[in-house]
Amino acid sequence: MNDRILMTFSPDGETRTDFFCRPEKAADARDAVSTFVSRLHPAPTSHMVQNLLLLVSELVTNAVRHAGAVTALWLTADRRGVHVRVTDPSPAHPQDRTPDLTGRTGGFGWPMVQRLAQEVRVRETVGGGKVILATVSR
């Protein structure tokens, strides 16, 4: 998994931290989140980190399961929150469906993402896939 961290300064002097990688599975994405948040200052609360880990894990799992791959995971932090972008090759938007309580077909991930994030949006990408944007408040 190739990754990179960038620190930039906005015109108003705010520091923004960006992290980019291409995880192949949810465990890779959780490792990326852990690395990313360990470099944030001030450090986020443990509750926020747990929510972020769960949100990113669900988004990456869904992308691998339903779209076949994650083409990019981009994490950005500013003083308001952590912004997550997960890109995959499928144009199909996530669908709400009745959760399967037997555990065979899922149905829990997308509603969980919507509850954990302050904001969630889905946009089409130029190459025919999609990007899911989610923000977790700091």
Side-chain angles (χ1 to χ4, degrees):
M1 177 174 72
N2 294 333
D3 56 8
R4 61 178 183 247
I5 290 184
L6 308 165
M7 292 192 77
T8 58
F9 298 95
S10 65
D12 65 0
E14 181 180 359
T15 302
R16 192 178 92 179
T17 305
D18 291 285
F19 184 91
F20 175 83
C21 64
R22 287 187 180 99
E24 294 180 13
K25 56 189 177 210
D28 295 339
R30 288 189 298 272
D31 289 344
V33 168
S34 295
T35 299
F36 176 74
V37 298
S38 73
R39 297 178 181 172
L40 296 180
H41 183 75
T45 66
S46 61
H47 180 72
M48 184 268 195
V49 172
Q50 290 170 358
N51 286 345
L52 185 62
L53 284 165
L54 187 53
L55 177 125
V56 169
S57 185
E58 289 298 329
L59 288 175
V60 168
T61 296
N62 286 349
V64 170
R65 177 180 287 165
H66 300 291
V70 172
T71 53
L73 167 62
W74 193 297
L75 304 167
T76 303
D78 56 29
R79 67 176 167 237
R80 293 175 303 281
V82 175
H83 312 282
V84 177
R85 287 182 276 178
V86 175
T87 306
D88 68 51
S90 172
H93 287 224
Q95 299 295 312
D96 286 324
R97 56 192 174 98
T98 303
D100 178 3
L101 298 176
T102 67
R104 286 182 283 226
T105 61
F108 295 94
W110 186 239
M112 189 180 309
V113 165
Q114 292 172 312
R115 280 192 303 276
L116 291 170
Q118 175 185 352
E119 177 182 13
V120 180
R121 293 175 295 181
V122 181
R123 297 203 172 133
E124 295 176 8
T125 61
V126 175
K130 70 178 165 301
V131 59
I132 299 177
L133 305 107
T135 298
V136 176
S137 296
R138 277 185 98 165

